Structure formats: structure tokens, C-alpha cells
Amino acid sequence: MLAELDRAVSDCRACPRLVDWRERVAREKRAAFADQEYWGRPVPGFGPPDARLLIVGLAPAAHGANRTGRMFTGDRSGDVLYAALHAVGLANQPTAVHKDDGLTLYGTRITSPVHCAPPENKPTPAERDACRHWLADELRLLTPTLRAVMVLGGFGWQALLPVLAEAGWTVPRPRPVFGHGAHVELAAAHPDRRPLHLLGCYHVSQQNTFTGRLTPDMLCTVLDNAAKLAGISQAG
Ligand code: SF4
């Protein structure tokens, strides 16, 4: 069950550097959040277990998801992402502030290839590889309904391709190249799988959204396309 996987992810301590960092950040805190108790643990995926669309990011932010315990919740990247999800009818509200804020996603789940906040948002290749099995298990559990994956940024794209191959889809050679708006349909390599749409989108990092490299319109266009390819009935 996906809920069991989420619980198991939250208890993982496989990467010493990341365990040390996530817990240190949780102890030291940012001044603005000094009165809050940080999560300080791995952040599991968020969204229904029968999602048709999976959004894959990079890793939790130190003072965002590592503080609140929910993907993209409590930081500027999440502000942009959830506003767009709401705009295209995939979320019931445009904001994500804390775990109990009533946010619900429709047909959509959000996860990351690395579940612990890394220093400078940069996990090492060894940490990415250590975390891979969680993503592979998540994909397997979502298989009955999953029809599309939207990847935010090149790191997630590179991390995801081998997992997709391992989890039962055919990844073409040469490997599809990441880009904003990239779209490729992966054939099933296993009788239990259905073809899967893979879409690329620039990451919702402040580096991209503050500079205009990724605008809300650009994000909404890819999200809307992903939702339609996944066959989700969008609200609104
Ligand atoms: S990054 Fe992944 S594998 Fe490493 S400690 Fe966190 S949850 Fe475990």
C-alpha cells in the first residue's frame, strides 16, 4: 500500500550526510520559523494512491518541505506550483502552507527522486542512487492508474529514466533529452503496464521563476497538457 510506503520513507536513515543535514536544519531553524517544530525527516510523496499523473521534482527544500513535512509546502517554489495546479483544476486551493491546511490534489501525486533535503539543494549521485528504490516502489504501486509523469527539471529527468526502465517501461536509446515542453510516450515493457506519457517542465525554483525563465503560463500549459494526456477530469 502506498500509505505504508510513505510511512517507511519517512523513517529512512540510509544517507548519513543527508540525515545529518536535515536534522541540523530542523534544530537550528530559520529565524522566521523559530517558533515552529520542523519535520526534519524524509518527505514522502503527496497525493492520492490512484493518481493518473505523477509530478517529480528534485528534493525537499530545507525550510519548505523539510519544515512542514509535505512536498513543496511552505516555500516559494510551492507557491508557484500549487497556484498553477489550482489554476488548471488539479488542486482544491492555490496555497500550501502546512500539512493540515486542507489541500487536496485531484488525480495527481507529487514526489521526488531524493526524499531528504540536501545541502545547497544538491544531492550527490550516491544519494540519488540510494533513494532510487523508493521511487521505483512508488511507481509500481501507482501502476494501475498512472498514465503520465511530469518532471520538473533536468535532475529529476535524469534520475527518473533508469527507474522507469527498471519499473517496466521502455526508455528509447538514445535517451530522451530533457527540455521545457519535452514529451515522449514510453511503451510498456511489461504485460501489466500501459504506455506512459513523460513530460518535461523547467523546475519551479526561484532561480527560474524570479528570472522569468519559467512563467506561470508556461507551467500551466505543460500541467494542463499532462492532465489531459493522463485522462484526468479537471475541476473548475
Ligand atoms: S535521501 Fe532517500 S535513501 Fe537517503 S536517507 Fe533520505 S529517504 Fe533515505
Side-chain angles (χ1 to χ4, degrees), residues 144-161:
T145 51
L146 190 68
R147 298 292 175 267
V149 181
M150 174 178 150
V151 186
L152 298 171
F155 180 94
W157 184 272
Q158 294 304 334
L160 180 68
L161 291 179

PDB file of all heavy atoms in Angstrom, residues 144-161:
ATOM      1  N   PRO A 144      -1.382   0.779 -11.620  1.00  0.00           N
ATOM      2  CA  PRO A 144      -2.731   0.524 -12.150  1.00  0.00           C
ATOM      3  C   PRO A 144      -3.398   1.761 -12.750  1.00  0.00           C
ATOM      4  O   PRO A 144      -4.196   1.641 -13.673  1.00  0.00           O
ATOM      5  CB  PRO A 144      -3.501   0.037 -10.912  1.00  0.00           C
ATOM      6  CG  PRO A 144      -2.452  -0.515 -10.000  1.00  0.00           C
ATOM      7  CD  PRO A 144      -1.229   0.321 -10.228  1.00  0.00           C
ATOM      8  N   THR A 145      -3.074   2.947 -12.226  1.00  0.00           N
ATOM      9  CA  THR A 145      -3.760   4.148 -12.723  1.00  0.00           C
ATOM     10  C   THR A 145      -2.832   5.109 -13.468  1.00  0.00           C
ATOM     11  O   THR A 145      -3.313   5.953 -14.227  1.00  0.00           O
ATOM     12  CB  THR A 145      -4.394   4.923 -11.547  1.00  0.00           C
ATOM     13  OG1 THR A 145      -3.401   5.120 -10.530  1.00  0.00           O
ATOM     14  CG2 THR A 145      -5.573   4.148 -10.965  1.00  0.00           C
ATOM     15  N   LEU A 146      -1.544   5.005 -13.251  1.00  0.00           N
ATOM     16  CA  LEU A 146      -0.608   6.024 -13.757  1.00  0.00           C
ATOM     17  C   LEU A 146      -0.550   6.071 -15.286  1.00  0.00           C
ATOM     18  O   LEU A 146      -0.323   5.056 -15.932  1.00  0.00           O
ATOM     19  CB  LEU A 146       0.797   5.733 -13.198  1.00  0.00           C
ATOM     20  CG  LEU A 146       1.837   6.817 -13.426  1.00  0.00           C
ATOM     21  CD1 LEU A 146       1.495   8.063 -12.618  1.00  0.00           C
ATOM     22  CD2 LEU A 146       3.227   6.313 -13.044  1.00  0.00           C
ATOM     23  N   ARG A 147      -0.749   7.283 -15.853  1.00  0.00           N
ATOM     24  CA  ARG A 147      -0.707   7.426 -17.303  1.00  0.00           C
ATOM     25  C   ARG A 147       0.285   8.491 -17.759  1.00  0.00           C
ATOM     26  O   ARG A 147       0.610   8.565 -18.935  1.00  0.00           O
ATOM     27  CB  ARG A 147      -2.101   7.803 -17.841  1.00  0.00           C
ATOM     28  CG  ARG A 147      -3.171   6.752 -17.562  1.00  0.00           C
ATOM     29  CD  ARG A 147      -2.932   5.464 -18.363  1.00  0.00           C
ATOM     30  NE  ARG A 147      -3.902   4.429 -18.002  1.00  0.00           N
ATOM     31  CZ  ARG A 147      -3.705   3.493 -17.077  1.00  0.00           C
ATOM     32  NH1 ARG A 147      -2.555   3.423 -16.429  1.00  0.00           N
ATOM     33  NH2 ARG A 147      -4.636   2.594 -16.812  1.00  0.00           N
ATOM     34  N   ALA A 148       0.722   9.360 -16.842  1.00  0.00           N
ATOM     35  CA  ALA A 148       1.662  10.417 -17.251  1.00  0.00           C
ATOM     36  C   ALA A 148       2.551  10.820 -16.082  1.00  0.00           C
ATOM     37  O   ALA A 148       2.129  10.755 -14.925  1.00  0.00           O
ATOM     38  CB  ALA A 148       0.897  11.640 -17.754  1.00  0.00           C
ATOM     39  N   VAL A 149       3.779  11.190 -16.415  1.00  0.00           N
ATOM     40  CA  VAL A 149       4.719  11.711 -15.426  1.00  0.00           C
ATOM     41  C   VAL A 149       5.245  13.037 -15.946  1.00  0.00           C
ATOM     42  O   VAL A 149       5.677  13.132 -17.098  1.00  0.00           O
ATOM     43  CB  VAL A 149       5.904  10.746 -15.188  1.00  0.00           C
ATOM     44  CG1 VAL A 149       6.844  11.305 -14.133  1.00  0.00           C
ATOM     45  CG2 VAL A 149       5.421   9.370 -14.769  1.00  0.00           C
ATOM     46  N   MET A 150       5.174  14.057 -15.113  1.00  0.00           N
ATOM     47  CA  MET A 150       5.716  15.365 -15.485  1.00  0.00           C
ATOM     48  C   MET A 150       6.914  15.638 -14.586  1.00  0.00           C
ATOM     49  O   MET A 150       6.795  15.616 -13.364  1.00  0.00           O
ATOM     50  CB  MET A 150       4.639  16.425 -15.294  1.00  0.00           C
ATOM     51  CG  MET A 150       5.125  17.827 -15.519  1.00  0.00           C
ATOM     52  SD  MET A 150       3.738  18.972 -15.318  1.00  0.00           S
ATOM     53  CE  MET A 150       4.615  20.405 -14.729  1.00  0.00           C
ATOM     54  N   VAL A 151       8.061  15.888 -15.197  1.00  0.00           N
ATOM     55  CA  VAL A 151       9.295  16.044 -14.432  1.00  0.00           C
ATOM     56  C   VAL A 151       9.709  17.512 -14.395  1.00  0.00           C
ATOM     57  O   VAL A 151       9.781  18.175 -15.431  1.00  0.00           O
ATOM     58  CB  VAL A 151      10.435  15.209 -15.049  1.00  0.00           C
ATOM     59  CG1 VAL A 151      11.659  15.256 -14.156  1.00  0.00           C
ATOM     60  CG2 VAL A 151       9.998  13.762 -15.239  1.00  0.00           C
ATOM     61  N   LEU A 152       9.976  17.995 -13.179  1.00  0.00           N
ATOM     62  CA  LEU A 152      10.405  19.385 -13.006  1.00  0.00           C
ATOM     63  C   LEU A 152      11.932  19.439 -12.976  1.00  0.00           C
ATOM     64  O   LEU A 152      12.550  19.126 -11.954  1.00  0.00           O
ATOM     65  CB  LEU A 152       9.844  19.937 -11.691  1.00  0.00           C
ATOM     66  CG  LEU A 152       8.317  19.987 -11.569  1.00  0.00           C
ATOM     67  CD1 LEU A 152       7.899  20.344 -10.154  1.00  0.00           C
ATOM     68  CD2 LEU A 152       7.740  20.991 -12.560  1.00  0.00           C
ATOM     69  N   GLY A 153      12.532  19.783 -14.097  1.00  0.00           N
ATOM     70  CA  GLY A 153      13.983  19.987 -14.127  1.00  0.00           C
ATOM     71  C   GLY A 153      14.778  18.770 -14.573  1.00  0.00           C
ATOM     72  O   GLY A 153      14.311  17.629 -14.513  1.00  0.00           O
ATOM     73  N   GLY A 154      15.996  19.049 -15.000  1.00  0.00           N
ATOM     74  CA  GLY A 154      16.866  18.023 -15.576  1.00  0.00           C
ATOM     75  C   GLY A 154      17.336  16.985 -14.574  1.00  0.00           C
ATOM     76  O   GLY A 154      17.548  15.820 -14.935  1.00  0.00           O
ATOM     77  N   PHE A 155      17.518  17.379 -13.307  1.00  0.00           N
ATOM     78  CA  PHE A 155      17.980  16.399 -12.320  1.00  0.00           C
ATOM     79  C   PHE A 155      16.950  15.275 -12.175  1.00  0.00           C
ATOM     80  O   PHE A 155      17.281  14.089 -12.217  1.00  0.00           O
ATOM     81  CB  PHE A 155      18.222  17.063 -10.958  1.00  0.00           C
ATOM     82  CG  PHE A 155      18.689  16.092  -9.901  1.00  0.00           C
ATOM     83  CD1 PHE A 155      20.045  15.903  -9.653  1.00  0.00           C
ATOM     84  CD2 PHE A 155      17.772  15.349  -9.166  1.00  0.00           C
ATOM     85  CE1 PHE A 155      20.472  14.990  -8.695  1.00  0.00           C
ATOM     86  CE2 PHE A 155      18.188  14.431  -8.211  1.00  0.00           C
ATOM     87  CZ  PHE A 155      19.541  14.254  -7.966  1.00  0.00           C
ATOM     88  N   GLY A 156      15.688  15.672 -12.004  1.00  0.00           N
ATOM     89  CA  GLY A 156      14.615  14.688 -11.852  1.00  0.00           C
ATOM     90  C   GLY A 156      14.505  13.801 -13.088  1.00  0.00           C
ATOM     91  O   GLY A 156      14.291  12.597 -12.994  1.00  0.00           O
ATOM     92  N   TRP A 157      14.667  14.413 -14.247  1.00  0.00           N
ATOM     93  CA  TRP A 157      14.575  13.685 -15.526  1.00  0.00           C
ATOM     94  C   TRP A 157      15.645  12.595 -15.589  1.00  0.00           C
ATOM     95  O   TRP A 157      15.349  11.433 -15.881  1.00  0.00           O
ATOM     96  CB  TRP A 157      14.743  14.697 -16.655  1.00  0.00           C
ATOM     97  CG  TRP A 157      14.587  14.217 -18.064  1.00  0.00           C
ATOM     98  CD1 TRP A 157      15.567  13.698 -18.856  1.00  0.00           C
ATOM     99  CD2 TRP A 157      13.391  14.242 -18.859  1.00  0.00           C
ATOM    100  NE1 TRP A 157      15.063  13.404 -20.095  1.00  0.00           N
ATOM    101  CE2 TRP A 157      13.733  13.727 -20.128  1.00  0.00           C
ATOM    102  CE3 TRP A 157      12.085  14.658 -18.630  1.00  0.00           C
ATOM    103  CZ2 TRP A 157      12.803  13.618 -21.157  1.00  0.00           C
ATOM    104  CZ3 TRP A 157      11.159  14.544 -19.657  1.00  0.00           C
ATOM    105  CH2 TRP A 157      11.510  14.026 -20.908  1.00  0.00           C
ATOM    106  N   GLN A 158      16.890  12.998 -15.296  1.00  0.00           N
ATOM    107  CA  GLN A 158      17.992  12.031 -15.349  1.00  0.00           C
ATOM    108  C   GLN A 158      17.821  10.936 -14.303  1.00  0.00           C
ATOM    109  O   GLN A 158      18.167   9.783 -14.529  1.00  0.00           O
ATOM    110  CB  GLN A 158      19.341  12.730 -15.117  1.00  0.00           C
ATOM    111  CG  GLN A 158      19.736  13.707 -16.209  1.00  0.00           C
ATOM    112  CD  GLN A 158      19.767  13.071 -17.593  1.00  0.00           C
ATOM    113  OE1 GLN A 158      19.969  11.865 -17.743  1.00  0.00           O
ATOM    114  NE2 GLN A 158      19.530  13.873 -18.626  1.00  0.00           N
ATOM    115  N   ALA A 159      17.311  11.330 -13.141  1.00  0.00           N
ATOM    116  CA  ALA A 159      17.138  10.354 -12.062  1.00  0.00           C
ATOM    117  C   ALA A 159      16.004   9.379 -12.377  1.00  0.00           C
ATOM    118  O   ALA A 159      16.051   8.210 -12.011  1.00  0.00           O
ATOM    119  CB  ALA A 159      16.856  11.078 -10.747  1.00  0.00           C
ATOM    120  N   LEU A 160      14.985   9.878 -13.072  1.00  0.00           N
ATOM    121  CA  LEU A 160      13.790   9.071 -13.291  1.00  0.00           C
ATOM    122  C   LEU A 160      13.945   8.035 -14.407  1.00  0.00           C
ATOM    123  O   LEU A 160      13.403   6.928 -14.296  1.00  0.00           O
ATOM    124  CB  LEU A 160      12.610  10.002 -13.617  1.00  0.00           C
ATOM    125  CG  LEU A 160      11.276   9.310 -13.881  1.00  0.00           C
ATOM    126  CD1 LEU A 160      10.748   8.660 -12.596  1.00  0.00           C
ATOM    127  CD2 LEU A 160      10.254  10.300 -14.417  1.00  0.00           C
ATOM    128  N   LEU A 161      14.677   8.375 -15.480  1.00  0.00           N
ATOM    129  CA  LEU A 161      14.708   7.480 -16.644  1.00  0.00           C
ATOM    130  C   LEU A 161      15.114   6.044 -16.290  1.00  0.00           C
ATOM    131  O   LEU A 161      14.427   5.092 -16.689  1.00  0.00           O
ATOM    132  CB  LEU A 161      15.614   8.059 -17.741  1.00  0.00           C
ATOM    133  CG  LEU A 161      15.073   9.324 -18.432  1.00  0.00           C
ATOM    134  CD1 LEU A 161      16.068   9.827 -19.477  1.00  0.00           C
ATOM    135  CD2 LEU A 161      13.716   9.076 -19.088  1.00  0.00           C
TER     136      LEU A 161
END
